[in-house]
Coordinates of all heavy atoms in Angstrom, one line a residue:
M2 N 6.8 9.7 -19.8 CA 5.8 9.7 -18.8 C 6.3 8.8 -17.6 O 6.8 7.8 -17.7 CB 4.5 9.1 -19.3 CG 3.4 9.1 -18.3 SD 1.8 8.6 -19.1 CE 0.9 8.2 -17.7
A3 N 6.1 9.4 -16.4 CA 6.6 8.7 -15.2 C 5.7 7.5 -14.9 O 4.5 7.5 -15.1 CB 6.5 9.6 -14.0
Q4 N 6.3 6.5 -14.3 CA 5.6 5.3 -13.9 C 4.8 5.6 -12.6 O 5.4 6.2 -11.7 CB 6.5 4.1 -13.8 CG 5.9 2.8 -13.7 CD 7.0 1.7 -13.8 OE1 8.0 1.8 -13.2 NE2 6.6 0.6 -14.5
R5 N 3.6 5.1 -12.5 CA 2.8 5.4 -11.3 C 2.5 4.1 -10.6 O 1.4 3.5 -10.7 CB 1.5 6.1 -11.8 CG 1.7 7.3 -12.5 CD 0.8 8.4 -11.9 NE 1.0 9.7 -12.7 CZ 1.6 10.7 -12.1 NH1 2.0 10.7 -10.9 NH2 1.7 11.8 -12.8
L6 N 3.5 3.7 -9.8 CA 3.4 2.4 -9.1 C 2.5 2.6 -7.8 O 2.5 3.6 -7.1 CB 4.7 2.0 -8.6 CG 5.7 1.6 -9.8 CD1 7.1 1.2 -9.2 CD2 5.1 0.5 -10.6
H7 N 1.7 1.5 -7.5 CA 0.9 1.5 -6.4 C 1.1 0.1 -5.7 O 1.1 -0.9 -6.3 CB -0.6 1.6 -6.8 CG -0.9 2.9 -7.4 ND1 -0.6 3.2 -8.7 CD2 -1.5 4.0 -6.9 CE1 -1.0 4.4 -9.0 NE2 -1.5 5.0 -7.9
L8 N 1.2 0.2 -4.4 CA 1.4 -1.0 -3.5 C 0.1 -1.3 -2.8 O -0.5 -0.3 -2.1 CB 2.5 -0.8 -2.5 CG 2.7 -1.9 -1.5 CD1 3.1 -3.2 -2.1 CD2 3.7 -1.5 -0.5
V9 N -0.4 -2.5 -2.8 CA -1.6 -2.9 -2.1 C -1.2 -3.8 -1.0 O -0.5 -4.8 -1.2 CB -2.7 -3.5 -3.0 CG1 -3.9 -4.0 -2.2 CG2 -3.1 -2.6 -4.1
F10 N -1.6 -3.5 0.3 CA -1.2 -4.3 1.4 C -2.2 -4.1 2.5 O -3.0 -3.2 2.5 CB 0.2 -3.8 1.9 CG 0.2 -2.4 2.5 CD1 0.1 -2.2 3.9 CD2 0.2 -1.3 1.7 CE1 0.1 -1.0 4.4 CE2 0.2 0.0 2.2 CZ 0.2 0.1 3.6
G11 N -2.2 -5.0 3.5 CA -3.1 -4.9 4.6 C -2.8 -6.0 5.6 O -1.9 -6.7 5.5
G12 N -3.7 -6.0 6.6 CA -3.5 -7.0 7.7 C -4.4 -6.6 8.9 O -5.2 -5.7 8.8
E13 N -4.2 -7.3 9.9 CA -4.9 -7.2 11.2 C -4.5 -6.0 11.9 O -3.3 -5.8 12.2 CB -4.9 -8.4 12.0 CG -5.7 -8.3 13.2 CD -5.7 -9.6 14.1 OE1 -4.9 -10.5 13.7 OE2 -6.4 -9.7 15.1
L14 N -5.4 -5.1 12.3 CA -5.1 -3.9 13.1 C -5.3 -4.2 14.6 O -6.0 -5.1 15.0 CB -6.0 -2.8 12.7 CG -5.9 -2.4 11.2 CD1 -6.9 -1.2 11.0 CD2 -4.5 -2.0 10.8
V15 N -4.6 -3.4 15.5 CA -4.8 -3.6 16.9 C -6.2 -3.2 17.3 O -6.8 -3.7 18.3 CB -3.7 -2.9 17.8 CG1 -2.4 -3.4 17.5 CG2 -3.8 -1.4 17.5
S16 N -6.8 -2.3 16.6 CA -8.1 -1.8 16.9 C -8.7 -1.2 15.5 O -8.0 -0.6 14.8 CB -8.1 -0.6 17.9 OG -9.3 0.1 17.9
P17 N -10.0 -1.5 15.3 CA -10.6 -0.9 14.1 C -10.5 0.6 14.0 O -10.6 1.1 12.9 CB -12.1 -1.4 14.2 CG -12.1 -2.5 15.1 CD -10.9 -2.3 16.1
S18 N -10.3 1.3 15.1 CA -10.2 2.7 15.1 C -8.8 3.3 14.9 O -8.6 4.5 14.9 CB -10.9 3.3 16.3 OG -10.1 2.9 17.5
K19 N -7.8 2.4 14.8 CA -6.4 2.9 14.6 C -5.8 2.2 13.4 O -6.1 1.1 13.0 CB -5.6 2.5 15.8 CG -6.1 3.2 17.1 CD -5.2 2.8 18.2 CE -5.7 3.2 19.6 NZ -5.6 4.5 19.9
N20 N -4.9 2.9 12.8 CA -4.1 2.4 11.6 C -2.8 1.8 12.1 O -1.8 2.1 11.6 CB -3.9 3.4 10.5 CG -5.2 3.8 9.8 OD1 -6.1 2.9 9.7 ND2 -5.3 5.0 9.4
V21 N -2.9 0.9 13.1 CA -1.6 0.3 13.6 C -1.8 -1.2 13.5 O -2.8 -1.8 14.0 CB -1.5 0.6 15.1 CG1 -0.3 -0.1 15.7 CG2 -1.4 2.1 15.3
F22 N -0.9 -1.9 12.8 CA -0.9 -3.3 12.6 C -0.6 -4.1 13.8 O 0.3 -3.7 14.6 CB 0.0 -3.7 11.4 CG -0.4 -3.3 10.1 CD1 0.2 -2.2 9.4 CD2 -1.5 -3.9 9.4 CE1 -0.3 -1.8 8.2 CE2 -1.9 -3.5 8.2 CZ -1.3 -2.4 7.6
R23 N -1.3 -5.2 14.1 CA -1.1 -6.0 15.2 C 0.3 -6.6 15.2 O 1.1 -6.6 16.2 CB -2.1 -7.1 15.3 CG -1.9 -8.0 16.6 CD -3.1 -8.9 16.8 NE -4.4 -8.3 16.9 CZ -4.8 -7.7 18.0 NH1 -4.1 -7.6 19.1 NH2 -6.0 -7.1 18.0
D24 N 0.7 -7.1 14.0 CA 2.1 -7.7 13.9 C 2.5 -7.4 12.4 O 2.0 -8.0 11.5 CB 2.0 -9.2 14.1 CG 3.4 -9.9 14.1 OD1 4.4 -9.2 13.8 OD2 3.5 -11.0 14.5
V25 N 3.5 -6.6 12.3 CA 4.0 -6.2 11.0 C 4.6 -7.4 10.2 O 4.6 -7.3 9.0 CB 5.0 -5.0 11.0 CG1 4.3 -3.8 11.5 CG2 6.2 -5.4 11.8
K26 N 5.0 -8.4 10.9 CA 5.5 -9.6 10.2 C 4.4 -10.3 9.4 O 4.6 -11.1 8.6 CB 6.2 -10.6 11.2 CG 7.5 -10.0 11.7 CD 8.1 -11.0 12.6 CE 7.8 -10.5 14.0 NZ 8.1 -11.3 15.1
D27 N 3.1 -10.1 9.8 CA 2.0 -10.7 9.2 C 1.2 -9.9 8.2 O 0.1 -10.2 7.8 CB 1.0 -11.2 10.3 CG 1.5 -12.3 11.1 OD1 2.3 -13.1 10.6 OD2 1.1 -12.4 12.3
I28 N 1.9 -8.8 7.8 CA 1.2 -7.9 6.8 C 1.1 -8.7 5.5 O 2.1 -9.3 5.0 CB 2.0 -6.6 6.6 CG1 1.8 -5.7 7.8 CG2 1.5 -5.8 5.3 CD1 2.6 -4.4 7.8
D29 N 0.0 -8.6 4.9 CA -0.3 -9.3 3.6 C 0.0 -8.3 2.5 O -0.6 -7.3 2.3 CB -1.8 -9.7 3.5 CG -2.2 -10.3 2.2 OD1 -1.3 -10.8 1.5 OD2 -3.4 -10.3 1.8
I30 N 1.1 -8.6 1.7 CA 1.5 -7.8 0.5 C 0.7 -8.4 -0.7 O 1.1 -9.4 -1.2 CB 3.0 -7.8 0.3 CG1 3.8 -7.4 1.5 CG2 3.3 -7.0 -0.9 CD1 3.5 -6.0 2.0
V31 N -0.3 -7.7 -1.1 CA -1.1 -8.2 -2.2 C -0.3 -8.0 -3.5 O -0.3 -8.9 -4.3 CB -2.4 -7.4 -2.3 CG1 -3.2 -7.8 -3.6 CG2 -3.2 -7.6 -1.1
G32 N 0.4 -6.9 -3.7 CA 1.2 -6.7 -4.8 C 1.5 -5.3 -5.2 O 0.9 -4.4 -4.6
M33 N 2.3 -5.1 -6.2 CA 2.6 -3.8 -6.8 C 1.9 -3.7 -8.2 O 2.0 -4.7 -8.9 CB 4.2 -3.7 -7.0 CG 4.6 -2.3 -7.4 SD 4.6 -1.1 -6.1 CE 5.9 -1.6 -5.1
F34 N 1.3 -2.6 -8.4 CA 0.5 -2.4 -9.6 C 0.9 -1.2 -10.4 O 1.3 -0.2 -9.8 CB -1.0 -2.4 -9.2 CG -1.4 -3.6 -8.5 CD1 -1.3 -3.8 -7.2 CD2 -1.9 -4.7 -9.3 CE1 -1.7 -4.9 -6.5 CE2 -2.2 -5.9 -8.7 CZ -2.1 -6.0 -7.3
P35 N 0.8 -1.2 -11.7 CA 1.3 -0.1 -12.6 C 0.4 1.1 -12.7 O 0.8 2.1 -13.2 CB 1.5 -0.8 -13.9 CG 0.4 -1.8 -14.0 CD 0.4 -2.3 -12.5
D36 N -0.8 1.0 -12.1 CA -1.8 2.1 -12.2 C -2.8 2.0 -11.1 O -2.9 0.9 -10.5 CB -2.4 2.2 -13.6 CG -3.1 0.9 -13.9 OD1 -4.1 0.5 -13.2 OD2 -2.7 0.2 -14.9
Y37 N -3.5 3.1 -10.8 CA -4.4 3.1 -9.7 C -5.6 2.1 -10.0 O -6.1 1.4 -9.0 CB -5.0 4.5 -9.5 CG -5.9 4.5 -8.3 CD1 -5.4 4.6 -7.0 CD2 -7.3 4.5 -8.5 CE1 -6.3 4.6 -6.0 CE2 -8.2 4.5 -7.5 CZ -7.7 4.5 -6.2 OH -8.6 4.5 -5.1
D38 N -6.1 2.0 -11.2 CA -7.2 1.2 -11.5 C -7.0 -0.3 -11.2 O -7.8 -0.9 -10.5 CB -7.7 1.3 -13.0 CG -8.3 2.7 -13.3 OD1 -8.7 3.4 -12.3 OD2 -8.2 3.1 -14.4
S39 N -5.8 -0.8 -11.6 CA -5.5 -2.2 -11.2 C -5.3 -2.4 -9.8 O -5.6 -3.4 -9.2 CB -4.4 -2.7 -12.1 OG -3.2 -1.9 -11.9
A40 N -4.7 -1.4 -9.1 CA -4.5 -1.4 -7.7 C -5.8 -1.4 -6.9 O -6.0 -2.2 -6.0 CB -3.6 -0.3 -7.2
F41 N -6.7 -0.6 -7.4 CA -8.0 -0.5 -6.8 C -8.8 -1.9 -6.9 O -9.4 -2.3 -5.9 CB -8.9 0.6 -7.4 CG -10.2 0.7 -6.8 CD1 -10.4 1.4 -5.6 CD2 -11.3 0.1 -7.4 CE1 -11.7 1.5 -5.1 CE2 -12.6 0.2 -6.9 CZ -12.8 0.9 -5.7
L42 N -8.7 -2.5 -8.0 CA -9.3 -3.8 -8.2 C -8.7 -4.9 -7.2 O -9.5 -5.7 -6.6 CB -9.2 -4.3 -9.6 CG -10.1 -3.6 -10.6 CD1 -9.8 -4.1 -12.0 CD2 -11.6 -3.7 -10.3
A43 N -7.4 -4.8 -7.1 CA -6.8 -5.8 -6.1 C -7.1 -5.4 -4.7 O -7.4 -6.3 -3.9 CB -5.2 -5.7 -6.3
W44 N -7.2 -4.1 -4.4 CA -7.6 -3.7 -3.0 C -9.0 -4.2 -2.7 O -9.3 -4.7 -1.7 CB -7.5 -2.2 -2.9 CG -8.1 -1.7 -1.7 CD1 -7.6 -1.6 -0.4 CD2 -9.5 -1.2 -1.6 NE1 -8.6 -1.1 0.4 CE2 -9.7 -0.8 -0.3 CE3 -10.5 -1.0 -2.5 CZ2 -10.9 -0.3 0.2 CZ3 -11.7 -0.5 -2.1 CH2 -11.9 -0.2 -0.8
K45 N -9.9 -3.9 -3.7 CA -11.3 -4.3 -3.5 C -11.5 -5.8 -3.3 O -12.2 -6.2 -2.4 CB -12.1 -3.8 -4.7 CG -13.6 -4.0 -4.6 CD -14.3 -3.4 -5.8 CE -15.8 -3.6 -5.7 NZ -16.5 -3.0 -6.9
G46 N -10.7 -6.6 -4.0 CA -10.8 -8.1 -3.9 C -10.3 -8.5 -2.5 O -11.0 -9.3 -1.8
A47 N -9.2 -7.9 -2.0 CA -8.7 -8.3 -0.7 C -9.6 -7.8 0.4 O -9.9 -8.5 1.4 CB -7.3 -7.7 -0.5
A48 N -10.1 -6.6 0.2 CA -11.1 -6.0 1.2 C -12.3 -6.8 1.3 O -12.9 -7.1 2.4 CB -11.3 -4.6 0.9
Q49 N -12.9 -7.3 0.2 CA -14.1 -8.0 0.2 C -13.9 -9.4 0.8 O -14.8 -10.0 1.4 CB -14.7 -8.1 -1.2 CG -15.3 -6.8 -1.7 CD -15.8 -6.9 -3.1 OE1 -15.4 -7.7 -3.9 NE2 -16.7 -6.0 -3.4
R50 N -12.7 -10.0 0.6 CA -12.4 -11.3 1.2 C -12.4 -11.3 2.7 O -12.6 -12.3 3.4 CB -11.1 -11.9 0.7 CG -11.2 -12.5 -0.7 CD -9.9 -13.3 -1.0 NE -8.7 -12.5 -0.9 CZ -8.2 -11.7 -1.9 NH1 -8.9 -11.5 -3.0 NH2 -7.1 -11.0 -1.7
T51 N -12.1 -10.1 3.3 CA -12.0 -10.0 4.7 C -13.1 -9.1 5.3 O -12.9 -8.6 6.5 CB -10.6 -9.4 5.1 OG1 -10.4 -8.1 4.4 CG2 -9.5 -10.3 4.6
V52 N -14.1 -8.9 4.6 CA -15.2 -7.9 5.1 C -15.8 -8.3 6.4 O -16.2 -7.4 7.2 CB -16.3 -7.8 4.0 CG1 -17.1 -9.0 3.9 CG2 -17.1 -6.6 4.2
D53 N -15.8 -9.6 6.8 CA -16.4 -10.0 8.1 C -15.5 -9.8 9.3 O -15.9 -10.0 10.4 CB -16.8 -11.4 8.0 CG -18.0 -11.7 7.0 OD1 -18.8 -10.7 6.8 OD2 -18.1 -12.7 6.4
D54 N -14.2 -9.4 9.1 CA -13.3 -9.2 10.2 C -13.0 -7.7 10.3 O -12.3 -7.1 9.5 CB -12.0 -9.9 9.9 CG -11.1 -9.9 11.1 OD1 -11.3 -9.0 12.0 OD2 -10.2 -10.7 11.1
A55 N -13.6 -7.0 11.3 CA -13.5 -5.6 11.5 C -12.1 -5.1 11.8 O -11.8 -3.9 11.6 CB -14.5 -5.1 12.6
H56 N -11.2 -6.0 12.2 CA -9.9 -5.6 12.5 C -8.9 -5.7 11.3 O -7.8 -5.3 11.4 CB -9.3 -6.6 13.6 CG -9.8 -6.2 14.9 ND1 -11.1 -6.6 15.4 CD2 -9.3 -5.5 15.9 CE1 -11.3 -6.2 16.6 NE2 -10.2 -5.5 17.0
V57 N -9.4 -6.2 10.2 CA -8.5 -6.3 9.0 C -8.8 -5.1 8.0 O -10.0 -4.8 7.7 CB -8.7 -7.6 8.3 CG1 -7.9 -7.7 7.0 CG2 -8.3 -8.8 9.2
R58 N -7.8 -4.5 7.6 CA -7.9 -3.4 6.6 C -6.8 -3.5 5.5 O -5.7 -4.0 5.8 CB -7.6 -2.0 7.3 CG -8.6 -1.6 8.3 CD -9.9 -1.0 7.6 NE -10.8 -0.4 8.6 CZ -11.6 -1.1 9.4 NH1 -11.6 -2.4 9.3 NH2 -12.4 -0.5 10.2
Y59 N -7.2 -3.1 4.3 CA -6.2 -3.0 3.2 C -6.1 -1.6 2.7 O -7.0 -0.8 2.9 CB -6.7 -3.9 2.1 CG -6.4 -5.4 2.4 CD1 -7.2 -6.2 3.1 CD2 -5.2 -5.9 1.9 CE1 -6.9 -7.5 3.4 CE2 -4.8 -7.2 2.2 CZ -5.7 -8.0 3.0 OH -5.3 -9.3 3.3
Y60 N -4.9 -1.3 2.2 CA -4.6 0.1 1.8 C -3.9 0.1 0.4 O -3.3 -0.9 0.0 CB -3.6 0.7 2.8 CG -4.1 0.7 4.2 CD1 -3.9 -0.3 5.1 CD2 -4.9 1.8 4.7 CE1 -4.3 -0.3 6.4 CE2 -5.3 1.8 6.0 CZ -5.1 0.8 6.8 OH -5.5 0.8 8.1
I61 N -4.0 1.2 -0.2 CA -3.3 1.5 -1.5 C -2.2 2.6 -1.2 O -2.6 3.7 -0.8 CB -4.2 1.9 -2.6 CG1 -5.2 0.9 -2.9 CG2 -3.3 2.2 -3.8 CD1 -6.3 1.3 -3.9
A62 N -1.0 2.2 -1.3 CA 0.1 3.2 -1.1 C 0.5 3.7 -2.5 O 0.8 2.9 -3.4 CB 1.3 2.6 -0.4
H63 N 0.6 5.0 -2.7 CA 1.0 5.6 -4.0 C 2.5 5.7 -4.0 O 3.0 6.8 -3.6 CB 0.3 7.0 -4.1 CG -1.2 6.9 -4.1 ND1 -1.9 6.8 -5.3 CD2 -2.1 6.8 -3.1 CE1 -3.2 6.7 -4.9 NE2 -3.3 6.7 -3.6
I64 N 3.2 4.7 -4.4 CA 4.6 4.6 -4.4 C 5.2 5.7 -5.2 O 6.3 6.3 -4.9 CB 5.1 3.2 -4.8 CG1 4.5 2.1 -3.9 CG2 6.6 3.2 -4.9 CD1 4.9 2.3 -2.4
H65 N 4.6 6.0 -6.3 CA 5.1 7.1 -7.2 C 5.2 8.4 -6.5 O 6.0 9.3 -6.9 CB 4.3 7.2 -8.5 CG 2.9 7.6 -8.2 ND1 1.9 6.7 -7.9 CD2 2.3 8.8 -8.3 CE1 0.7 7.3 -7.7 NE2 0.9 8.6 -7.9
R66 N 4.5 8.6 -5.5 CA 4.5 9.9 -4.8 C 5.8 10.0 -3.8 O 6.1 11.1 -3.4 CB 3.3 10.1 -3.9 CG 2.1 10.3 -4.8 CD 0.8 10.6 -3.9 NE -0.3 10.7 -4.8 CZ -1.6 10.7 -4.3 NH1 -1.8 10.5 -3.0 NH2 -2.6 10.8 -5.2
L67 N 6.4 8.9 -3.6 CA 7.6 8.9 -2.7 C 8.8 9.4 -3.5 O 9.8 9.8 -2.9 CB 7.9 7.5 -2.2 CG 6.8 6.8 -1.4 CD1 7.2 5.4 -1.0 CD2 6.6 7.7 -0.1
R68 N 8.8 9.4 -4.8 CA 9.9 9.8 -5.6 C 9.4 10.9 -6.5 O 8.5 10.8 -7.3 CB 10.4 8.7 -6.5 CG 11.2 7.6 -5.7 CD 11.8 6.7 -6.7 NE 12.6 7.3 -7.7 CZ 14.0 7.3 -7.6 NH1 14.6 6.7 -6.6 NH2 14.6 7.9 -8.6
D69 N 10.2 12.0 -6.5 CA 9.9 13.1 -7.5 C 11.2 13.2 -8.3 O 12.2 13.7 -7.8 CB 9.6 14.4 -6.7 CG 9.3 15.5 -7.7 OD1 9.4 15.4 -8.9 OD2 8.8 16.6 -7.2
E70 N 11.1 12.8 -9.5 CA 12.3 12.8 -10.4 C 12.9 14.2 -10.6 O 14.1 14.3 -11.0 CB 12.0 12.2 -11.8 CG 11.6 10.7 -11.7 CD 12.7 9.8 -11.1 OE1 13.9 10.2 -11.3 OE2 12.4 8.8 -10.5
A71 N 12.1 15.2 -10.3 CA 12.6 16.6 -10.5 C 13.5 17.0 -9.3 O 14.3 17.9 -9.4 CB 11.5 17.6 -10.6
Q72 N 13.4 16.3 -8.2 CA 14.2 16.6 -7.0 C 15.6 15.9 -7.1 O 15.7 14.8 -7.7 CB 13.5 16.1 -5.8 CG 12.2 16.7 -5.5 CD 12.3 18.2 -5.2 OE1 13.3 18.6 -4.5 NE2 11.4 19.0 -5.7
P73 N 16.6 16.5 -6.5 CA 17.9 15.8 -6.5 C 17.8 14.5 -5.8 O 17.0 14.3 -4.9 CB 18.8 16.8 -5.8 CG 18.0 18.0 -5.5 CD 16.6 17.7 -5.8
A74 N 18.7 13.6 -6.2 CA 18.7 12.2 -5.6 C 19.2 12.3 -4.1 O 20.0 13.2 -3.8 CB 19.7 11.3 -6.4
S75 N 18.7 11.4 -3.3 CA 19.2 11.4 -1.9 C 20.6 10.8 -1.9 O 21.0 10.1 -2.8 CB 18.3 10.5 -1.1 OG 18.4 9.2 -1.4
P76 N 21.4 11.0 -0.8 CA 22.7 10.5 -0.7 C 22.8 9.0 -0.9 O 23.7 8.4 -1.5 CB 23.2 10.9 0.7 CG 22.4 12.1 1.0 CD 21.0 11.9 0.3
T77 N 21.7 8.2 -0.4 CA 21.7 6.8 -0.6 C 21.5 6.4 -2.0 O 22.1 5.4 -2.4 CB 20.7 6.1 0.4 OG1 19.4 6.7 0.1 CG2 21.0 6.3 1.8
E78 N 20.7 7.1 -2.8 CA 20.5 6.8 -4.2 C 21.8 7.0 -5.0 O 22.1 6.3 -5.9 CB 19.4 7.6 -4.8 CG 18.0 7.2 -4.3 CD 17.0 8.1 -4.8 OE1 17.0 9.3 -4.6 OE2 16.1 7.5 -5.5
E79 N 22.5 8.1 -4.6 CA 23.8 8.4 -5.3 C 24.8 7.3 -5.1 O 25.6 7.0 -6.0 CB 24.3 9.7 -4.9 CG 23.4 10.9 -5.4 CD 23.8 12.2 -4.9 OE1 24.7 12.3 -4.0 OE2 23.1 13.2 -5.2
L80 N 24.8 6.6 -3.9 CA 25.7 5.6 -3.6 C 25.5 4.4 -4.5 O 26.4 3.7 -4.9 CB 25.7 5.2 -2.2 CG 26.1 6.1 -1.1 CD1 25.9 5.6 0.3 CD2 27.6 6.4 -1.3
G81 N 24.2 4.1 -4.9 CA 23.9 2.9 -5.7 C 24.2 3.1 -7.1 O 24.1 2.2 -7.9
A82 N 24.4 4.3 -7.6 CA 24.6 4.6 -9.0 C 25.9 4.2 -9.5 O 26.9 3.9 -8.9 CB 24.4 6.1 -9.3

């Protein structure tokens, strides 16, 4: 079974209506999680801590969707092998 990694991250946006971070150096990396349920709990905790700041948003990135093991490796992956 493939591992289903999820990254939880967030930070201050330039505007509540845009998904553009004010300063990418200040992005809060909450962590990497092995399943959606644990990622969701981490996301919820981070989002609730910042609920009073309309410019702060947290996201869950489905890292497992970036790699499809059935597809051939990219040239950069082959170099690392």
Side-chain angles (χ1 to χ4, degrees):
M2 182 172 160
Q4 197 171 36
R5 302 231 181 245
L6 296 175
H7 296 80
L8 172 66
V9 178
F10 66 99
E13 185 179 1
L14 304 176
V15 296
S16 166
S18 63
K19 298 183 189 284
N20 289 329
V21 178
F22 290 103
R23 183 170 301 283
D24 187 349
V25 295
K26 290 180 259 171
D27 291 332
I28 290 176
D29 177 24
I30 305 296
V31 177
M33 187 74 72
F34 300 88
D36 55 63
Y37 182 81
D38 291 338
S39 58
F41 180 81
L42 289 174
W44 168 84
K45 187 175 179 181
Q49 286 178 337
R50 282 192 302 278
T51 59
V52 71
D53 292 330
D54 189 342
H56 284 81
V57 175
R58 293 281 188 282
Y59 280 85
Y60 302 91
I61 299 174
H63 301 264
I64 301 302
H65 62 276
R66 292 183 183 166
L67 298 177
R68 288 186 55 102
D69 182 352
E70 296 297 332
Q72 297 294 323
S75 72
T77 55
E78 288 179 299
E79 291 172 359
L80 291 174

